[in-house]
Structure formats: structure tokens, C-alpha cells
């Protein structure tokens, strides 16, 4: 096995907060070379500040999930979206041959549902402009009212083992689809935006 992984691709960088940090991605995706750039407590501002760590690693795939900690800091939807757009524009400019997968902000307590849906709607619309693919994790993890399914979390925020299993079941096929597309292809599927609010 080479460091190119089973897919023949180079390393995959997973970028985000404690949700990403907490995953045992290398064990779960044994054919891949995984760089875990998840940092507990990180906001979108933090990812903007450390983005060159990711760029300097020269990954062939970047998987991004960030934004939920901003909500705890009472950051506005506009602030979060603008920062994620900055992250994506910078990644695309500096890593032109890298495939980018943007994941929807995960559900948490239902009191955040409207804000998260709004963020995700903006990111879904923006992702194709930087030739990034979109993965909507909301349908797999949210209840009708936008609450993170309690089967997948003990604290309405962090995922338990079952929550990570559900996420992985969505992520692995999305990565396979992503790798079949050229780095600059447009999004190929429309998301389910979690139902009309």
C-alpha cells in the first residue's frame, strides 16, 4: 500500500472543530491517507487563521465542516457564511487541483435549527462557485424540528459512536463521487435542505 491510498489519490485533509477531531478517520477509512485538521472549539475565524497549515500539507482532497461553535459565540449567520466563503475561495485559489467537499453544519439543539438551515442554504448555493461539492448531512442526523437526533449524541452537540457511523455512511460515498469528478466540476446533486421552515 502506498501513501496514495486505495483510491490512487493523495492525502485527504479533514478540516473542522471537535466533531472532526473526535473521529477515528484513519481507522474508519483504512485505504486512505488522512490528515485530521480538526481542532476542538474552533470557530470559522480559527480555521481562517490556520488555513495555511492545510494548504501547506498539499492534500488532494479537503473535507470541511465548520460553523457550529460560532453559534455558541453568538456570531451571525452572515459572519459564519462570509468566513466559510473566505476559506473556500482561499482553498480553491491555492489548491487548484484539489477536490473540495463542503459538509453542511450539523444539527444540534433545535433552538439553533433556523440559523443552521440558513447557513447551510447559503453554503449550498456558494459551493459550486468555487467548484466544491456539497454534502448535506442534515437529513441523516436531524429530527423533524431540527434537533440533533438524541440517538447520535449525549449532549445535543457532539456525536457518539452511532452518530459517527451515520456520518461515515454519508461521507464515504460522497468522497467516492467527489473523486470521480474533476477538481473543477460543479455540484452534481441538490440537497434536501431539511424541509421547509
Amino acid at each position: 500500500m502506498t501513501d496514495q491510498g486505495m483510491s490512487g489519490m493523495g492525502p485527504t485533509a479533514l478540516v473542522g472543530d471537535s466533531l472532526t477531531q473526535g473521529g477515528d478517520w484513519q481507522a474508519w477509512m483504512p485505504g486512505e491517507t488522512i490528515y485530521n485538521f480538526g481542532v476542538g472549539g474552533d470557530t470559522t475565524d480559527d480555521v481562517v487563521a490556520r488555513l495555511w497549515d492545510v494548504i501547506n500539507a498539499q492534500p488532494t482532497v479537503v473535507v470541511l465542516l465548520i460553523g457550529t461553535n460560532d453559534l455558541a459565540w453568538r456570531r451571525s449567520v452572515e459572519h459564519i457564511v462570509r468566513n466559510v466563503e473566505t476559506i473556500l475561495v482561499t482553498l480553491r485559489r491555492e489548491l487548484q487541483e484539489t477536490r473540495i467537499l463542503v459538509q453542511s453544519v450539523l444539527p444540534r439543539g433545535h433552538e439553533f435549527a433556523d440559523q443552521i438551515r440558513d447557513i447551510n442554504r447559503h453554503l449550498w448555493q456558494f459551493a459550486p462557485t468555487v467548484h466544491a461539492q456539497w454534502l448535506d448531512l442534515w437529513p441523516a442526523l436531524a429530527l423533524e424540528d431540527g434537533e440533533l437526533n438524541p440517538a447520535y449524541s449525549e449532549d445535543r452537540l457532539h456525536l457518539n459512536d452511532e452518530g459517527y457511523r451515520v456520518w461515515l455512511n454519508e461521507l464515504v460515498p460522497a468522497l467516492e463521487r467527489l473523486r470521480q469528478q474533476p477538481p473543477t466540476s460543479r455540484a452534481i446533486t441538490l440537497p434536501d435542505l431539511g424541509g421547509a421552515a
Side-chain angles (χ1 to χ4, degrees):
M1 189 74 64
T2 69
D3 65 358
Q4 294 293 302
M6 289 180 354
S7 61
M9 304 286 289
T12 295
L14 301 177
V15 182
D17 51 36
S18 62
L19 292 163
T20 297
Q21 183 183 38
D24 192 3
W25 305 105
Q26 191 64 70
W28 297 337
M29 296 188 276
E32 308 290 339
T33 300
I34 304 293
Y35 298 157
N36 189 336
F37 285 99
V39 176
D42 261 16
T43 63
T44 57
D45 292 298
D46 296 316
V47 172
V48 169
R50 65 185 177 86
L51 200 53
W52 278 97
D53 293 345
V54 178
I55 293 164
N56 289 336
Q58 293 291 299
T60 56
V61 174
V62 173
V63 180
L64 178 68
L65 174 64
I66 195 67
T68 198
N69 288 325
D70 294 69
L71 295 170
W73 287 100
R74 304 277 190 266
R75 302 281 190 263
S76 67
V77 167
E78 291 75 19
H79 178 90
I80 297 166
V81 169
R82 188 169 61 245
N83 273 349
V84 176
E85 289 177 353
T86 297
I87 292 164
L88 293 173
V89 167
T90 305
L91 288 171
R92 175 50 67 219
R93 184 181 69 232
E94 301 297 331
L95 298 171
Q96 294 180 13
E97 297 304 311
T98 294
R99 290 164 173 82
I100 301 172
L101 181 67
V102 185
Q103 300 173 103
S104 61
V105 176
L106 301 190
R108 53 187 295 178
H110 65 84
E111 63 273 19
F112 294 101
D114 288 345
Q115 288 174 285
I116 295 173
R117 284 193 184 105
D118 201 13
I119 293 164
N120 287 340
R121 195 172 295 114
H122 283 289
L123 297 183
W124 161 64
Q125 291 171 332
F126 184 79
T129 70
V130 291
H131 307 296
Q133 302 288 326
W134 172 256
L135 175 57
D136 188 11
L137 295 166
W138 190 272
L141 293 167
L143 300 179
E144 285 278 318
D145 66 354
E147 177 89 15
L148 175 58
N149 188 324
Y152 305 144
S153 176
E154 273 76 54
D155 64 0
R156 308 172 82 214
L157 175 61
H158 298 95
L159 298 178
N160 59 22
D161 290 346
E162 184 64 13
Y164 276 109
R165 188 190 65 76
V166 170
W167 181 3
L168 198 64
N169 285 346
E170 300 291 323
L171 179 58
V172 169
L175 286 172
E176 289 171 1
R177 289 193 303 272
L178 181 73
R179 290 189 171 111
Q180 291 164 5
Q181 303 295 319
T184 56
S185 74
R186 294 183 70 76
I188 50 176
T189 57
L190 296 177
D192 172 352
L193 291 173

